[in-house]
Amino acid sequence: MTTDANHRTRRQGPAMLRGKAVPQTTTDQRLLDARGPSDWVHADPWRVLRIQAEFVEGFGLLAEIPRAVSVFGSARTKPGSPEYELAVDIGARLHEAGYAVITGGGPGIMEAANKGCDQAGGLSVGLGIELPFEQKLNAHLDIGLEFRYFFVRKTMFVKYSQAFVVLPGGFGTLDELFEAITLVQTGKITRFPIVLVGTEFWGGLVDWVKKTMLTSGKISPEDIDLVHLTDDPEEAVRVIVDAHVQQARLRDEEEAARAAAEAEAGDGS
């Protein structure tokens, strides 16, 4: 987005605003801002309808996508860089393994993963967000959605993904990573693989978790196994596939045991 106020452009939900029509704050900022007059008491109930509409639109558009993996990483990663090309490779491999690819829909790692999936012939999905600065959806999407509210967007990532792949990124990437770990750790979502790609980038964080959080009793030893660290795109995808094969096997065994128990109970009666 240019600095000239007459040329600023912002996507706001389904709307496109330009120039003087662009507000100085985002929808999230206005929702979370506790300052100002008491008219928020009257405005917030109407915001609930807008939030509800975002959930409905997201659920409706994504309900029938095949199993998918969300790929996270920095929007600042430059095309042609090793990290960018790594994300392109992972996006293609995920499609070849039978997954759609979901990203935040923006540039950098997000664009690269969408590009890899798209060029390989897969289903490429982008879930964008309204930001104070313009960030367009990238050109490699089959399905693109732009959200006003971060928490609605996060719900879509979690609900429609069967795994997370996390490449080097900034605060937003850390936010998505630790939210996913927390949801898996607390059993709010089914245990599914979370793969960190980039040992040099993530190694220090993983070491700190082990040496500080674990040794001080802030997490349990089994929590360390919630993430898998690698540099190899093939390994990253294989971890996801193997985990889902194992989950399917366990489900089949549980269903067989339950059927056997029901049959035995029926014979006893």
PDB file of all heavy atoms in Angstrom, residues 21 32 40 61 99 103 119 121 130 135 162 184 196 199 213 220 223 250 264:
ATOM      1  N   ALA A  21     -11.701   6.609   1.909  1.00  0.00           N
ATOM      2  CA  ALA A  21     -12.631   5.643   2.509  1.00  0.00           C
ATOM      3  C   ALA A  21     -11.931   4.631   3.408  1.00  0.00           C
ATOM      4  O   ALA A  21     -12.584   3.916   4.167  1.00  0.00           O
ATOM      5  CB  ALA A  21     -13.393   4.901   1.409  1.00  0.00           C
ATOM      6  N   LEU A  32     -11.202  -4.594  20.019  1.00  0.00           N
ATOM      7  CA  LEU A  32     -10.425  -4.829  21.232  1.00  0.00           C
ATOM      8  C   LEU A  32     -10.088  -3.562  21.997  1.00  0.00           C
ATOM      9  O   LEU A  32      -9.612  -3.632  23.131  1.00  0.00           O
ATOM     10  CB  LEU A  32      -9.132  -5.564  20.867  1.00  0.00           C
ATOM     11  CG  LEU A  32      -9.330  -6.947  20.221  1.00  0.00           C
ATOM     12  CD1 LEU A  32      -7.993  -7.530  19.788  1.00  0.00           C
ATOM     13  CD2 LEU A  32     -10.036  -7.891  21.183  1.00  0.00           C
ATOM     14  N   TRP A  40     -20.050   1.655  22.815  1.00  0.00           N
ATOM     15  CA  TRP A  40     -19.688   0.286  22.466  1.00  0.00           C
ATOM     16  C   TRP A  40     -20.725  -0.700  22.992  1.00  0.00           C
ATOM     17  O   TRP A  40     -20.896  -1.782  22.439  1.00  0.00           O
ATOM     18  CB  TRP A  40     -18.307  -0.068  23.027  1.00  0.00           C
ATOM     19  CG  TRP A  40     -18.248  -0.106  24.537  1.00  0.00           C
ATOM     20  CD1 TRP A  40     -17.919   0.909  25.373  1.00  0.00           C
ATOM     21  CD2 TRP A  40     -18.529  -1.240  25.365  1.00  0.00           C
ATOM     22  NE1 TRP A  40     -17.984   0.499  26.682  1.00  0.00           N
ATOM     23  CE2 TRP A  40     -18.353  -0.808  26.710  1.00  0.00           C
ATOM     24  CE3 TRP A  40     -18.910  -2.549  25.126  1.00  0.00           C
ATOM     25  CZ2 TRP A  40     -18.550  -1.663  27.791  1.00  0.00           C
ATOM     26  CZ3 TRP A  40     -19.109  -3.389  26.203  1.00  0.00           C
ATOM     27  CH2 TRP A  40     -18.923  -2.951  27.524  1.00  0.00           C
ATOM     28  N   LEU A  61     -17.630 -22.251   2.957  1.00  0.00           N
ATOM     29  CA  LEU A  61     -16.704 -22.342   1.833  1.00  0.00           C
ATOM     30  C   LEU A  61     -15.709 -23.483   1.991  1.00  0.00           C
ATOM     31  O   LEU A  61     -15.268 -24.088   1.003  1.00  0.00           O
ATOM     32  CB  LEU A  61     -15.949 -21.019   1.671  1.00  0.00           C
ATOM     33  CG  LEU A  61     -15.169 -20.820   0.368  1.00  0.00           C
ATOM     34  CD1 LEU A  61     -16.079 -20.929  -0.841  1.00  0.00           C
ATOM     35  CD2 LEU A  61     -14.467 -19.466   0.381  1.00  0.00           C
ATOM     36  N   TYR A  99      -2.842 -34.166   0.170  1.00  0.00           N
ATOM     37  CA  TYR A  99      -3.362 -33.095   1.015  1.00  0.00           C
ATOM     38  C   TYR A  99      -3.583 -31.807   0.204  1.00  0.00           C
ATOM     39  O   TYR A  99      -2.812 -31.498  -0.712  1.00  0.00           O
ATOM     40  CB  TYR A  99      -2.393 -32.769   2.152  1.00  0.00           C
ATOM     41  CG  TYR A  99      -2.146 -33.915   3.097  1.00  0.00           C
ATOM     42  CD1 TYR A  99      -1.036 -34.746   2.945  1.00  0.00           C
ATOM     43  CD2 TYR A  99      -3.026 -34.187   4.141  1.00  0.00           C
ATOM     44  CE1 TYR A  99      -0.800 -35.801   3.806  1.00  0.00           C
ATOM     45  CE2 TYR A  99      -2.799 -35.241   5.011  1.00  0.00           C
ATOM     46  CZ  TYR A  99      -1.691 -36.045   4.837  1.00  0.00           C
ATOM     47  OH  TYR A  99      -1.464 -37.103   5.693  1.00  0.00           O
ATOM     48  N   THR A 103      -2.764 -21.804   3.716  1.00  0.00           N
ATOM     49  CA  THR A 103      -1.825 -20.818   4.273  1.00  0.00           C
ATOM     50  C   THR A 103      -2.606 -19.565   4.647  1.00  0.00           C
ATOM     51  O   THR A 103      -3.825 -19.498   4.478  1.00  0.00           O
ATOM     52  CB  THR A 103      -0.723 -20.433   3.262  1.00  0.00           C
ATOM     53  OG1 THR A 103      -1.270 -19.523   2.283  1.00  0.00           O
ATOM     54  CG2 THR A 103      -0.148 -21.651   2.563  1.00  0.00           C
ATOM     55  N   GLN A 119       1.111 -25.488  -8.556  1.00  0.00           N
ATOM     56  CA  GLN A 119       1.841 -25.943  -9.739  1.00  0.00           C
ATOM     57  C   GLN A 119       1.846 -27.458  -9.860  1.00  0.00           C
ATOM     58  O   GLN A 119       1.952 -27.991 -10.969  1.00  0.00           O
ATOM     59  CB  GLN A 119       3.269 -25.408  -9.704  1.00  0.00           C
ATOM     60  CG  GLN A 119       3.357 -23.902  -9.914  1.00  0.00           C
ATOM     61  CD  GLN A 119       4.779 -23.394  -9.943  1.00  0.00           C
ATOM     62  OE1 GLN A 119       5.708 -24.048  -9.448  1.00  0.00           O
ATOM     63  NE2 GLN A 119       4.975 -22.224 -10.517  1.00  0.00           N
ATOM     64  N   GLY A 121      -0.711 -29.212  -9.162  1.00  0.00           N
ATOM     65  CA  GLY A 121      -2.075 -29.599  -9.489  1.00  0.00           C
ATOM     66  C   GLY A 121      -2.974 -29.807  -8.297  1.00  0.00           C
ATOM     67  O   GLY A 121      -4.073 -30.364  -8.427  1.00  0.00           O
ATOM     68  N   GLU A 130      -7.488  -8.856   7.428  1.00  0.00           N
ATOM     69  CA  GLU A 130      -7.443  -7.400   7.287  1.00  0.00           C
ATOM     70  C   GLU A 130      -6.333  -6.859   8.173  1.00  0.00           C
ATOM     71  O   GLU A 130      -6.283  -7.137   9.367  1.00  0.00           O
ATOM     72  CB  GLU A 130      -8.787  -6.806   7.703  1.00  0.00           C
ATOM     73  CG  GLU A 130      -8.814  -5.294   7.763  1.00  0.00           C
ATOM     74  CD  GLU A 130     -10.073  -4.789   8.459  1.00  0.00           C
ATOM     75  OE1 GLU A 130     -11.141  -5.331   8.174  1.00  0.00           O
ATOM     76  OE2 GLU A 130      -9.967  -3.864   9.284  1.00  0.00           O
ATOM     77  N   GLN A 135      -2.027  -6.106   2.256  1.00  0.00           N
ATOM     78  CA  GLN A 135      -1.373  -7.379   1.957  1.00  0.00           C
ATOM     79  C   GLN A 135      -2.350  -8.206   1.137  1.00  0.00           C
ATOM     80  O   GLN A 135      -3.290  -8.786   1.663  1.00  0.00           O
ATOM     81  CB  GLN A 135      -0.992  -8.113   3.242  1.00  0.00           C
ATOM     82  CG  GLN A 135      -0.303  -9.445   2.991  1.00  0.00           C
ATOM     83  CD  GLN A 135       0.189 -10.087   4.270  1.00  0.00           C
ATOM     84  OE1 GLN A 135       1.136  -9.613   4.875  1.00  0.00           O
ATOM     85  NE2 GLN A 135      -0.449 -11.159   4.683  1.00  0.00           N
ATOM     86  N   GLN A 162      -5.308 -31.042   9.183  1.00  0.00           N
ATOM     87  CA  GLN A 162      -4.966 -32.283   9.861  1.00  0.00           C
ATOM     88  C   GLN A 162      -3.515 -32.291  10.343  1.00  0.00           C
ATOM     89  O   GLN A 162      -3.073 -33.232  10.994  1.00  0.00           O
ATOM     90  CB  GLN A 162      -5.202 -33.486   8.942  1.00  0.00           C
ATOM     91  CG  GLN A 162      -6.655 -33.920   8.856  1.00  0.00           C
ATOM     92  CD  GLN A 162      -7.511 -32.939   8.069  1.00  0.00           C
ATOM     93  OE1 GLN A 162      -7.184 -32.590   6.948  1.00  0.00           O
ATOM     94  NE2 GLN A 162      -8.601 -32.497   8.664  1.00  0.00           N
ATOM     95  N   VAL A 184      -3.358 -28.962  21.140  1.00  0.00           N
ATOM     96  CA  VAL A 184      -3.070 -30.396  21.123  1.00  0.00           C
ATOM     97  C   VAL A 184      -2.745 -30.878  22.536  1.00  0.00           C
ATOM     98  O   VAL A 184      -3.239 -31.912  22.994  1.00  0.00           O
ATOM     99  CB  VAL A 184      -1.909 -30.708  20.162  1.00  0.00           C
ATOM    100  CG1 VAL A 184      -1.548 -32.186  20.238  1.00  0.00           C
ATOM    101  CG2 VAL A 184      -2.291 -30.334  18.732  1.00  0.00           C
ATOM    102  N   LEU A 196       8.266 -28.599  12.635  1.00  0.00           N
ATOM    103  CA  LEU A 196       9.077 -27.396  12.489  1.00  0.00           C
ATOM    104  C   LEU A 196      10.147 -27.668  11.444  1.00  0.00           C
ATOM    105  O   LEU A 196      10.917 -28.625  11.576  1.00  0.00           O
ATOM    106  CB  LEU A 196       9.745 -27.030  13.811  1.00  0.00           C
ATOM    107  CG  LEU A 196       8.836 -26.727  15.001  1.00  0.00           C
ATOM    108  CD1 LEU A 196       9.672 -26.429  16.242  1.00  0.00           C
ATOM    109  CD2 LEU A 196       7.921 -25.556  14.685  1.00  0.00           C
ATOM    110  N   THR A 199      16.225 -26.482  11.283  1.00  0.00           N
ATOM    111  CA  THR A 199      16.857 -26.771  12.572  1.00  0.00           C
ATOM    112  C   THR A 199      17.677 -25.591  13.085  1.00  0.00           C
ATOM    113  O   THR A 199      17.729 -25.347  14.285  1.00  0.00           O
ATOM    114  CB  THR A 199      17.757 -28.016  12.459  1.00  0.00           C
ATOM    115  OG1 THR A 199      18.713 -27.820  11.404  1.00  0.00           O
ATOM    116  CG2 THR A 199      16.932 -29.255  12.156  1.00  0.00           C
ATOM    117  N   MET A 213      11.876 -24.879  30.185  1.00  0.00           N
ATOM    118  CA  MET A 213      10.491 -25.201  30.509  1.00  0.00           C
ATOM    119  C   MET A 213      10.362 -26.597  31.107  1.00  0.00           C
ATOM    120  O   MET A 213       9.682 -26.794  32.119  1.00  0.00           O
ATOM    121  CB  MET A 213       9.605 -25.066  29.270  1.00  0.00           C
ATOM    122  CG  MET A 213       9.508 -23.665  28.715  1.00  0.00           C
ATOM    123  SD  MET A 213       8.420 -23.561  27.270  1.00  0.00           S
ATOM    124  CE  MET A 213       6.816 -23.703  28.040  1.00  0.00           C
ATOM    125  N   SER A 220       5.391 -31.262  30.635  1.00  0.00           N
ATOM    126  CA  SER A 220       5.668 -32.673  30.890  1.00  0.00           C
ATOM    127  C   SER A 220       6.622 -33.218  29.831  1.00  0.00           C
ATOM    128  O   SER A 220       6.684 -32.683  28.706  1.00  0.00           O
ATOM    129  CB  SER A 220       4.374 -33.478  30.870  1.00  0.00           C
ATOM    130  OG  SER A 220       3.458 -32.981  31.835  1.00  0.00           O
ATOM    131  N   ASP A 223       5.312 -33.747  26.382  1.00  0.00           N
ATOM    132  CA  ASP A 223       4.971 -32.556  25.593  1.00  0.00           C
ATOM    133  C   ASP A 223       6.030 -32.251  24.542  1.00  0.00           C
ATOM    134  O   ASP A 223       5.737 -31.622  23.519  1.00  0.00           O
ATOM    135  CB  ASP A 223       4.785 -31.335  26.498  1.00  0.00           C
ATOM    136  CG  ASP A 223       3.549 -31.454  27.382  1.00  0.00           C
ATOM    137  OD1 ASP A 223       2.630 -32.200  27.004  1.00  0.00           O
ATOM    138  OD2 ASP A 223       3.512 -30.809  28.448  1.00  0.00           O
ATOM    139  N   LEU A 250      -5.275 -47.085  14.640  1.00  0.00           N
ATOM    140  CA  LEU A 250      -5.806 -47.097  15.998  1.00  0.00           C
ATOM    141  C   LEU A 250      -7.326 -46.994  16.004  1.00  0.00           C
ATOM    142  O   LEU A 250      -8.005 -47.660  16.793  1.00  0.00           O
ATOM    143  CB  LEU A 250      -5.188 -45.950  16.808  1.00  0.00           C
ATOM    144  CG  LEU A 250      -3.704 -46.086  17.156  1.00  0.00           C
ATOM    145  CD1 LEU A 250      -3.192 -44.811  17.822  1.00  0.00           C
ATOM    146  CD2 LEU A 250      -3.478 -47.286  18.064  1.00  0.00           C
ATOM    147  N   GLU A 264     -20.165 -59.803  21.854  1.00  0.00           N
ATOM    148  CA  GLU A 264     -20.047 -60.673  23.022  1.00  0.00           C
ATOM    149  C   GLU A 264     -21.180 -60.407  24.005  1.00  0.00           C
ATOM    150  O   GLU A 264     -21.761 -61.329  24.580  1.00  0.00           O
ATOM    151  CB  GLU A 264     -18.688 -60.484  23.697  1.00  0.00           C
ATOM    152  CG  GLU A 264     -18.457 -61.407  24.884  1.00  0.00           C
ATOM    153  CD  GLU A 264     -17.085 -61.207  25.488  1.00  0.00           C
ATOM    154  OE1 GLU A 264     -16.256 -60.490  24.884  1.00  0.00           O
ATOM    155  OE2 GLU A 264     -16.836 -61.786  26.568  1.00  0.00           O
TER     156      GLU A 264
END
